[in-house]
Amino acid sequence: MRSAFSLFRKQKRMPSYPSGHSTNSLNRPSHTSCNTNDDWFRYTRGRFLFNEAQEISSRYVKFNMEEFIKRATESVGLTSAQCARVEKLPDGMFNKTFLFTMHDGTQVVGKVPNPNAGRPHYTTASEVATMDFARNQLRTPVPKVLSWSSKAEDNLVGAEYIIMEKVAGVQLSKVWPTMGIKERFELVKTISGYQKAWMSISFTQYGSLYYSSDVKGGLSIPNHHRFAVGPSTGREFLDDGRIALDFDRGPWTSVEQYKSAVGLREIACVQNMTRLPRSQLSLYGPGTYLCSRSKKIAALECYLRLVKYLLPTDPSITTAFLWHPDLHAENIFVHPERPAEVLGIIDWQSSELLPLFDHARQPYFLDYDGPLLTGIDPPAFPEGFDKLSSVEKAEAQDLYLKMSLSALYRRFTSGNNETLFKAMEFRQTTSFEMLLLAHNLLIDGEAIYQSRCLDLEKEWTALLGVQAAGSPPFPLLFSADEVALINEDASGAVRGMELMRSLRQSLGQMWPDKGVVRAEQYDEVKKLLKQAKAELIDKLAHSNTERLAWEEAWPFDS
């Protein structure tokens, strides 16, 4: 089940800082109040293919744009009358972002969180404190915050907001395709340097960072008394309906306490949600795997019995650090003529103080579709390259170059940041896989998890955490009937993943990542999905009952 298990590895989140051209703009002054333009407040970047009304509602935030303009101009010592232009940049998944241009050419960026961005006060308060700490303590090129409020009821804007400097340069995504391998590697070394800087200050608590005055019950930080560790604002504690429920969000004083809280969080959500979220990785229906609350809870209870034995024994990689949560190419700004020179790193929302092994992945802009690399050796050149067609050669060479750059990152990290590399290596172990999958069992993965628990008994004595604990016996016991059911469920789950993979491949570039597409693609994608649904049901349903079950299981709106 290892190959199926790898599908559940944590994926990067959708960009929350927009790119591209503005979707709406207004020259100032105007005879019409800014507040009459509803496009400022609603999600306008695309259409959702499942539960669209709720998705749009969770991204609608009404506020006083006139007051927001006033705050933006005052942040640079000007008046509202001196604001020449307001542009709404393309929506992120969690925020509205605006560019304010003054008559003298000064520009600032204003950001308003959507209701789905996080719990009121905490998300904004933590983001501002994190940006301050990263900029001034970790010496990272982060935009300076000029004005902010984390309490919508206490300001005339009527919403939480952050106003910050506009980052110079261009987004890495604009220049990455034209950069050569040497230039790309120079950029990789620059980012690695910032990662090493983030490890210059460690923490003894886990959660998110705040100003001490903004969080009740926060844990103080030695030598940094302006700041405190408080509840996590990480997306895993918010997404898929978790934001509405009460459970332990931290802070935590040990890695075991934090990882146990993850399992307890998922149990609380499974037990208390009115309806379980639909999987984005699998198509589940008759003949595949049928999920249930009891099966999810059973898997999570196994996780809680295992967790202390899965943790690394090396304290250097369980220590907490502050890390950027989303190093993709839209969040990194570089010099347009010297793209290896980083001018700014944006979008620190939802940053967490987590054990290093949770942070230690390669930057997202290095990701590729292909075999995972381990160690520090370069990838092998494609076999039979000379026998490939010209198209196949181009694809093989492109993959080889991407894998080579990833290998260079691993080799450079190994030589320049040994502790981070140790954490990266731990992520290749069974122990880490068993820790990682538990983070999202509310959504999917319980069948594969239980199957891996069966396999784990064979590897038990080899786990370092088990050896450090004195080699206790395997803590899980399954009857013959339970083993048979687990194997049956795992096979069904794999089939469900294969069905979703086939569906995704059939749509190709039209696939709605995270269920959202551009507005101009909406009708065409809905037509394609409707056709795919009909073909799937005709192929898989053998009775009216099964047809109805597949209709109910279909993850997109009709």
Side-chain angles (χ1 to χ4, degrees):
M1 292 298 171
R2 291 290 288 233
S3 61
F5 190 97
S6 66
L7 292 174
F8 292 99
R9 285 184 175 275
K10 184 177 178 183
Q11 302 295 309
K12 81 180 182 72
R13 62 183 182 173
M14 290 284 284
S16 62
Y17 188 91
S19 64
H21 299 291
S22 63
T23 58
N24 208 294
S25 63
L26 176 72
N27 291 317
R28 301 267 297 169
S30 172
H31 297 295
T32 304
S33 169
C34 294
N35 295 323
T36 62
N37 182 1
D38 199 53
D39 281 354
W40 296 134
F41 314 120
R42 65 185 184 90
Y43 184 83
T44 56
R45 191 173 188 173
R47 297 283 305 274
F48 292 88
L49 289 154
F50 172 71
N51 209 4
E52 184 171 44
Q54 181 177 327
E55 295 290 349
I56 293 295
S57 176
S58 71
R59 292 168 175 81
Y60 184 88
V61 53
K62 183 78 177 197
F63 56 91
N64 190 324
M65 176 57 84
E66 297 286 354
E67 287 292 335
F68 198 27
I69 293 170
K70 184 178 179 182
R71 295 294 182 276
T73 55
E74 288 177 347
S75 73
V76 288
L78 301 175
T79 66
S80 294
Q82 293 172 290
C83 180
R85 185 175 179 81
V86 182
E87 300 173 63
K88 182 189 178 188
L89 301 177
D91 284 288
M93 294 298 281
F94 306 107
N95 304 278
K96 304 280 182 287
T97 310
F98 302 87
L99 179 64
F100 301 93
T101 303
M102 313 307 166
H103 285 300
D104 65 0
T106 301
Q107 293 183 311
V108 297
V109 171
K111 180 176 178 179
V112 175
N114 296 331
N116 69 335
R119 295 192 300 159
H121 169 67
Y122 289 98
T123 299
T124 297
S126 180
E127 182 175 4
V128 170
T130 297
M131 291 174 70
D132 183 349
F133 197 92
R135 177 184 173 90
N136 295 303
Q137 305 301 320
L138 301 178
R139 304 302 176 189
T140 303
V142 176
K144 181 180 180 180
V145 174
L146 304 174
S147 177
W148 66 283
S149 174
S150 64
K151 296 183 178 179
E153 66 276 12
D154 289 349
N155 67 70
L156 295 177
V157 176
E160 299 179 36
Y161 66 85
I162 301 173
I163 296 168
M164 67 193 88
E165 294 176 331
K166 181 180 181 294
V167 179
V170 297
Q171 287 172 305
L172 176 61
S173 57
K174 305 295 184 186
V175 296
W176 182 258
T178 60
M179 292 170 63
I181 187 71
K182 290 184 179 179
E183 212 168 27
R184 290 184 180 187
F185 185 48
E186 286 303 312
L187 175 70
V188 165
K189 291 195 290 186
T190 301
I191 295 297
S192 295
Y194 291 127
Q195 291 178 328
K196 194 164 187 176
W198 300 341
M199 292 173 60
S200 65
I201 299 177
S202 62
F203 301 82
T204 57
Q205 306 96 1
Y206 305 81
S208 287
L209 196 65
Y210 300 83
Y211 292 125
S212 300
S213 57
D214 282 325
V215 59
K216 293 181 180 179
L219 303 176
S220 61
I221 303 171
N223 303 318
H224 299 282
H225 298 297
R226 290 176 56 230
F227 300 91
V229 183
S232 172
T233 61
R235 295 248 52 94
E236 288 179 350
F237 286 84
L238 302 167
D239 289 347
D240 300 298
R242 296 181 181 95
I243 190 173
L245 300 180
D246 290 327
F247 47 76
D248 180 11
R249 286 183 163 85
W252 306 279
T253 56
S254 73
V255 66
E256 184 179 342
Q257 188 184 38
Y258 157 60
K259 286 297 184 180
S260 295
V262 168
L264 294 171
R265 174 196 76 201
E266 295 296 271
I267 288 176
C269 292
V270 171
Q271 290 176 331
N272 294 299
M273 283 187 174
T274 304
R275 182 173 181 175
L276 295 178
R278 292 176 185 259
S279 170
Q280 297 179 357
L281 293 174
S282 305
L283 284 176
Y284 290 146
T288 63
Y289 166 68
L290 298 179
C291 72
S292 68
R293 295 178 194 264
S294 61
K295 290 178 182 179
K296 289 180 180 293
I297 290 173
L300 287 160
E301 288 175 343
C302 288
Y303 164 77
L304 290 173
R305 286 194 285 271
L306 294 170
V307 63
K308 65 181 178 181
Y309 303 113
L310 301 175
L311 297 170
T313 56
D314 184 346
S316 70
I317 68 172
T318 61
T319 298
F321 295 97
L322 180 64
W323 216 259
H324 191 282
D326 201 14
L327 277 176
H328 65 72
E330 290 189 356
N331 284 338
I332 300 170
F333 282 70
V334 298
H335 194 290
E337 297 173 3
R338 300 184 299 277
E341 181 180 335
V342 175
L343 300 180
I345 300 176
I346 66 167
D347 193 9
W348 293 79
Q349 189 179 79
S350 305
S351 296
E352 297 173 276
L353 303 171
L354 296 182
L356 183 61
F357 67 82
D358 272 353
H359 291 312
R361 73 173 323 279
Q362 70 179 18
Y364 286 111
F365 63 83
L366 293 180
D367 286 356
Y368 57 88
D369 291 325
L372 290 176
L373 293 173
T374 59
I376 58 175
D377 293 331
F381 195 75
E383 292 185 10
F385 182 80
D386 292 338
K387 298 180 180 179
L388 299 177
S389 68
S390 58
V391 173
E392 291 172 332
K393 283 182 178 179
E395 292 176 348
Q397 192 166 32
D398 180 62
L399 176 59
Y400 175 74
L401 290 175
K402 290 175 179 177
M403 292 178 66
S404 297
L405 187 60
S406 178
L408 285 171
Y409 169 76
R410 293 180 61 83
R411 179 180 289 273
F412 184 79
T413 302
S414 173
N416 291 272
N417 195 340
E418 182 181 356
T419 302
L420 180 58
F421 188 74
K422 282 194 295 185
M424 291 169 61
E425 289 292 277
F426 175 72
R427 292 173 68 92
Q428 305 294 328
T429 65
T430 295
S431 292
F432 177 74
E433 287 185 328
M434 297 298 285
L435 289 168
L436 179 66
L437 180 55
H439 280 241
N440 210 35
L441 290 182
L442 167 66
I443 315 299
D444 209 341
E446 65 275 8
I448 302 299
Y449 198 87
Q450 291 289 68
S451 176
R452 289 294 290 126
C453 285
L454 297 180
D455 296 338
L456 189 65
E457 186 171 10
K458 304 168 190 173
E459 307 174 51
W460 184 248
T461 57
L463 299 184
L464 294 180
V466 173
Q467 295 173 4
S471 298
F474 189 61
L476 306 178
L477 182 64
F478 300 99
S479 68
D481 287 343
E482 287 172 328
V483 170
L485 180 59
I486 287 170
N487 287 330
E488 181 183 346
D489 283 346
S491 296
V494 170
R495 187 172 185 223
M497 285 186 283
E498 290 171 346
L499 288 172
M500 183 66 89
R501 187 189 297 116
S502 295
L503 175 62
R504 183 171 190 146
Q505 290 174 346
S506 70
L507 266 70
Q509 295 296 318
M510 301 298 285
W511 177 253
D513 195 21
K514 300 292 185 180
V516 64
V517 295
R518 296 197 305 270
E520 63 271 20
Q521 293 179 322
Y522 180 76
D523 290 337
E524 183 178 357
V525 174
K526 282 207 73 170
K527 181 180 178 180
L528 291 172
L529 286 171
K530 184 177 181 179
Q531 180 181 340
K533 175 184 176 182
E535 292 173 353
L536 181 140
I537 292 177
D538 286 343
K539 178 180 179 181
L540 299 178
H542 300 98
S543 67
N544 286 334
T545 300
E546 289 190 354
R547 292 187 70 87
L548 290 174
W550 274 112
E551 288 275 357
E552 173 63 22
W554 187 249
F556 303 101
D557 289 340
S558 298

